Amino acid sequence: GAVVSQHPSWVICKSGTSVKIECRSLDFQATTMFWYRQFPKQSLMLMATSNEGSKATYEQGVEKDKFLINHASLTLSTLTVTSAHPEDSSFYICSAKMAGDYNEQFFGPGTRLTVL
Amino acid sequence: GDSVTQMEGPVTLSEEAFLTINCTYTATGYPSLFWYVQYPGEGLQLLLKATKADDKGSNKGFEATYRKETTSFHLEKGSVQVSDSAVYFCALSDRGGNKLVFGAGTILRVKS
């Protein structure tokens, strides 16, 4: 199957700093990428959907200025957590999808963010 | 809004035991239903799916049937193996497959 990578796999940062997480589709062109957040013992919550070359669509309750998403190419999307605080600590997961309906989302392994 | 409820874990079974993980959903319209599996240290992988009522998805010995009348999509396997130990997520999406709504996940542990 198609492979999606994330980098870094884990990151620890100080409160007030910004952190960038990369999501790459390694062997296919991803017209749409998704960012999810997962709290301990809870389900994945969709944060935003991004289409290559256009602005991301954020879910209700997700701060656009806090979580900046860029989908500059068909193989790369980035999530930047700006001015991170301890409550932003979480597991962030991306997925990627090819063009067309019913196409499967392929998931990255996730990034563990800890804000001190 | 749409939601998915699945049984809490962890579920601990002996090898070759029968597995059922319950999943029910609430949705408007006619969603597609999925089971994803996450092995330790890996990303979520699609295990099986069903796109309309009475469809049965199957893969690797796992099965689930889309039951519209009971709004359920229970996952079953007749004989589990140690290698099936993972976290299993039930999910639904709209027809376009774009917006996935996940259940909380169920940890399965299979002992030899």
Side-chain angles (χ1 to χ4, degrees):
Chain A
V3 180
V4 175
S5 70
Q6 279 184 244
H7 178 79
S9 56
W10 60 269
V11 57
I12 302 172
C13 69
K14 294 182 179 180
S15 185
T17 60
S18 295
V19 174
K20 179 183 286 188
I21 302 170
E22 292 185 349
C23 176
R24 294 182 184 272
S25 56
L26 299 185
D27 51 4
F28 68 99
Q29 293 186 327
T31 53
T32 307
M33 287 185 166
F34 307 84
W35 287 95
Y36 296 84
R37 184 173 179 177
Q38 185 179 27
F39 294 99
K41 299 184 179 180
Q42 295 188 30
S43 63
L44 284 74
M45 301 295 293
L46 179 65
M47 298 174 65
T49 302
S50 72
N51 292 294
E52 186 264 339
S54 59
K55 290 184 178 180
T57 302
Y58 290 81
E59 294 300 303
Q60 190 173 8
V62 178
E63 298 177 58
K64 300 178 182 181
D65 296 331
K66 159 70 78 176
F67 300 101
L68 300 179
I69 292 172
N70 183 277
H71 191 166
S73 77
L74 287 171
T75 59
L76 173 64
S77 176
T78 60
L79 168 67
T80 301
V81 183
T82 62
S83 187
H85 289 94
E87 58 265 29
D88 299 323
S89 299
S90 192
F91 196 55
Y92 293 88
I93 302 172
C94 75
S95 70
K97 179 175 172 290
M98 288 176 272
D101 289 342
Y102 299 103
N103 280 335
E104 179 182 345
Q105 289 186 31
F106 297 97
F107 285 81
T111 297
R112 172 75 60 193
L113 170 64
T114 301
V115 184
L116 302 177
Chain B
D2 296 351
S3 65
V4 174
T5 303
Q6 59 182 107
M7 62 188 291
E8 290 188 23
V11 174
T12 302
L13 297 173
S14 297
E15 206 165 19
E16 299 184 3
F18 185 85
L19 168 71
T20 299
I21 301 178
N22 290 336
C23 171
T24 57
Y25 67 91
T26 302
T28 55
Y30 303 94
S32 296
L33 302 175
F34 307 83
W35 276 100
Y36 284 85
V37 59
Q38 185 175 32
Y39 298 104
E42 299 183 17
L44 274 74
Q45 301 173 26
L46 179 63
L47 180 59
L48 53 85
K49 69 178 181 182
T51 58
K52 61 182 188 295
D54 299 325
D55 267 3
K56 177 185 284 187
S58 62
N59 185 26
K60 299 181 181 180
F62 291 90
E63 294 184 337
T65 301
Y66 190 143
R67 301 288 188 197
K68 190 173 185 297
E69 64 275 14
T70 55
T71 62
S72 65
F73 193 54
H74 304 321
L75 182 68
E76 297 182 337
K77 186 175 185 182
S79 176
V80 294
Q81 305 300 314
V82 173
S83 57
D84 293 326
S85 299
V87 183
Y88 291 82
F89 292 90
C90 185
L92 63 80
S93 80
D94 58 19
R95 284 298 190 190
N98 286 314
K99 186 170 181 178
L100 282 167
V101 176
F102 286 90
T106 302
I107 297 172
L108 172 64
R109 296 176 181 147
V110 181
K111 297 184 176 181
S112 59

